[in-house]
Amino acid sequence: MSFENYYVSTVGLIIFIIAIVIALVMNERYFRFIRNTLSQTDLAKGRGEGQVLSGEVEVLICPRCGYTKTIPFRLGDYVGKITNDVCPKDGEKLVVHAIYYVGMTEQGS
Amino acid sequence: MDLLVILQQVLLQVGPGSSQGNAWLMIISNIIWLALLFLFFFQDYVMVWRYAYMVGNFLTGLNRLIYNNINLVVNHIQQLLRSNGSSQVIDRSVIERRIRDLMEFVVIEPVSAEPTGLMRTLKLLVTTYNERLEESLRALLPSIERPLVQNVVDAVDGLRELNFIYKVIMHYYRLSNKYKNPYLMMQIYMLLPILREYVNALNGAITTFLKGQPVGDAAGPLTAYRFMRNCSSLEEINHNIKDTYVGLCNFEGRRVYVVKAKGPGGTVGNLDDAITYLIERVGVRPRMIITVDAALKLEGEKTGSIAEGVGVAMGGIGVERFNIERIASKYGIPLYAVLIKMSIPEALSAMPKEVEEAVNEAVERVRRVIKEGVREGEEVILVGVGNTSGVAQ
Ligand SMILES: [Zn+2]
């Protein structure tokens, strides 16, 4: 077998494989998968320091002294509801001040 | 076989007789080159297959999403009935059929060729639609508190929208297959990313409404709520406008009428009626009308950024905005708007922290605007526009 034959076949194969690899990377789903696996390590690092509540949380506030407390969202609560929790400073009943969602740093999607 | 050998000799530019060596490699290289040629000439078809595949995938996913959400709503209804200690046991399939019927509910647009009184007709249709939806669900949930029923109403409204998207996309998908027309498919394919974002947002909205949590759109009512909290001598004004709250409070000597939908059930209220009532029946002569609403941000803008402007900040089909604009121009009342920017997914799903923080900033802006533009002893109307799900007064 001639050298040219061998050479062209090998180059053809390499081009073909590169094309498939590019197609896979450009494909949204695989791209997201690759990006997620790459960013996984960063996330794990970020979570370790300082435990912050994430997900759906609500903020309770004391109407008299302004004491606030952040807890996970409880079903049935709404902003303006007077809860049964009491302020540790003056025993006033706490009012739901805010309900919001703390997501990952990623925007949208 | 001769043909292949010749073709190969042409492709590889080698003379005859040299093809004894690695025959397999030659065959492979032939196939590769032929495949590349084939793809080159038929790439249109390949693209159409890809479009059809992607759109089909989207439809399958959407169908599953709708199915899951119906289950979610049915489970929620059953749970509500059970927690209420209701003795009557309603069959699951009965509830599901009712929900599916409501999902097919249509609102027929009024004739707009003759526009006189069009806004009144639209208002009537919207009111009737909301009432009808609530009555149907009230029949399923006879002895449940109103806010909980309103939350289910909002969830079913979201389901209806999802179902509508599914039906329309399926229509074009089928049509494209039927007429073997790739361009219809291409158009849906191009819309897919936007549709997908909207569908995910609606999906989040259904869960959020069922839980009775505030959505991003509740930023307006939340601003009104927080303003009232920082205001002295608050009193509620009695009226008979459905789902709407009107409060009067004293902010540094100014009489502020605060209008918002009545929470904590999910509803947008009848804010235009409340303003008309205040101005024409109570005889309020406001120095200005301030509306606070969630607004759609452009891609480059930050979530929770605030813009001020002139006009009525209010989304929807424009009926309420029209009514407020008309009454304001009739009495020459300046209109002032405070907008809290967010994207569609953020407006429909659980309120993000950025929006919650922006509300505090919006309250500050409203106070500043009132202090600057309204003298002591004068009156002003503050309107918190949006769905008040999860926000009381
Ligand atoms: Zn306290």
Side-chain angles (χ1 to χ4, degrees), chain A residues 61-67 86-94:
Chain A
I61 192 167
C62 169
R64 196 182 293 167
C65 70
Y67 163 82
V86 288
C87 174
K89 287 179 196 159
D90 48 29
E92 186 87 7
K93 281 191 172 176
L94 299 177

Side-chain angles (χ1 to χ4, degrees), chain B residues 45 87 93 107 140 155 168 171 230 240 246 343 348:
Chain B
Y45 289 91
S87 53
S93 60
V107 179
L140 277 179
V168 172
H171 172 71
N230 294 322
N240 50 12
V246 184
S343 65
L348 289 177

Side-chain angles (χ1 to χ4, degrees), chain B residues 4-134:
Chain B
L4 264 180
V5 170
I6 293 164
L7 187 68
Q8 194 211 353
Q9 283 167 355
V10 171
L11 273 175
L12 304 183
Q13 301 188 349
V14 290
S18 64
S19 56
Q20 267 92 20
N22 199 339
W24 277 111
L25 210 58
M26 281 173 355
I27 291 168
I28 289 169
S29 86
N30 277 337
I31 289 169
I32 289 167
W33 285 114
L34 285 175
L36 285 177
L37 276 175
F38 180 82
L39 280 178
F40 181 74
F41 284 112
F42 295 93
Q43 57 175 326
D44 284 4
Y45 289 91
V46 175
M47 275 163 88
V48 170
W49 292 335
R50 186 179 141 82
Y51 295 152
Y53 171 75
M54 295 292 277
V55 174
N57 249 1
F58 173 75
L59 282 170
T60 323
L62 184 52
N63 194 16
R64 201 168 42 224
L65 202 76
I66 292 173
Y67 181 77
N68 287 344
N69 275 317
I70 290 176
N71 270 346
L72 208 66
V73 172
V74 172
N75 284 342
H76 185 81
I77 289 176
Q78 278 189 320
Q79 206 181 337
L80 280 178
L81 286 174
R82 226 176 288 133
S83 69
N84 198 43
S86 163
S87 53
Q88 60 180 128
V89 181
I90 295 187
D91 194 16
R92 199 184 157 81
S93 60
V94 174
I95 303 175
E96 192 173 329
R97 205 178 320 127
R98 284 294 275 281
I99 301 287
R100 283 197 183 269
D101 282 349
L102 288 176
M103 276 164 60
E104 299 292 330
F105 199 76
V106 285
V107 179
I108 301 161
E109 267 183 50
V111 176
S112 56
E114 215 274 275
T116 319
L118 186 62
M119 283 297 163
R120 230 172 304 140
T121 321
L122 272 173
K123 173 109 186 164
L124 175 73
L125 287 177
V126 170
T127 315
T128 317
Y129 167 67
N130 286 333
E131 274 173 7
R132 190 67 215 112
L133 209 58
E134 198 180 321

Side-chain angles (χ1 to χ4, degrees), chain A residues 1-2 4-6 8-9 13 16 28-29 56 73 75 77-80 95-102 107, chain B residues 8 12 14 21-22 25-26 29 32-33 57 211 213-214 222 225-226 264 303 350-353 356 390-392:
Chain A
M1 179 175 178
S2 70
E4 293 97 323
N5 195 339
Y6 181 75
V8 170
S9 305
L13 259 177
F16 195 67
E28 211 182 329
R29 194 179 302 166
E56 289 147 1
F73 174 69
L75 209 63
D77 278 8
Y78 52 85
V79 174
V95 177
V96 182
H97 180 65
I99 299 170
Y100 55 80
Y101 175 80
V102 187
Q107 280 263 322
Chain B
Q8 194 211 353
L12 304 183
V14 290
N22 199 339
L25 210 58
M26 281 173 355
S29 86
I32 289 167
W33 285 114
N57 249 1
K211 280 195 269 186
Q213 254 183 314
L222 190 60
Y225 166 81
R226 293 220 173 131
T303 297
M351 180 183 284
K353 194 171 194 306
E356 195 269 333
V391 180

Side-chain angles (χ1 to χ4, degrees), chain B residues 180-250:
Chain B
K180 303 272 172 274
N181 182 348
Y183 297 101
L184 285 173
M185 197 70 87
M186 238 178 248
Q187 288 180 35
I188 318 170
Y189 174 78
M190 284 165 191
L191 285 176
L192 274 192
I194 297 163
L195 281 173
R196 200 172 281 134
E197 191 179 64
Y198 188 50
V199 163
N200 285 339
L202 279 174
N203 183 30
I206 291 170
T207 342
T208 312
F209 279 132
L210 284 182
K211 280 195 269 186
Q213 254 183 314
V215 290
D217 189 39
L222 190 60
T223 308
Y225 166 81
R226 293 220 173 131
F227 181 85
M228 284 192 287
R229 287 281 141 157
N230 294 322
C231 212
S232 57
S233 62
L234 175 70
E235 52 175 298
E236 186 174 349
I237 288 178
N238 288 318
H239 57 79
N240 50 12
I241 299 157
K242 206 172 166 232
D243 294 336
T244 313
Y245 170 85
V246 184
L248 168 63
C249 71
N250 179 1

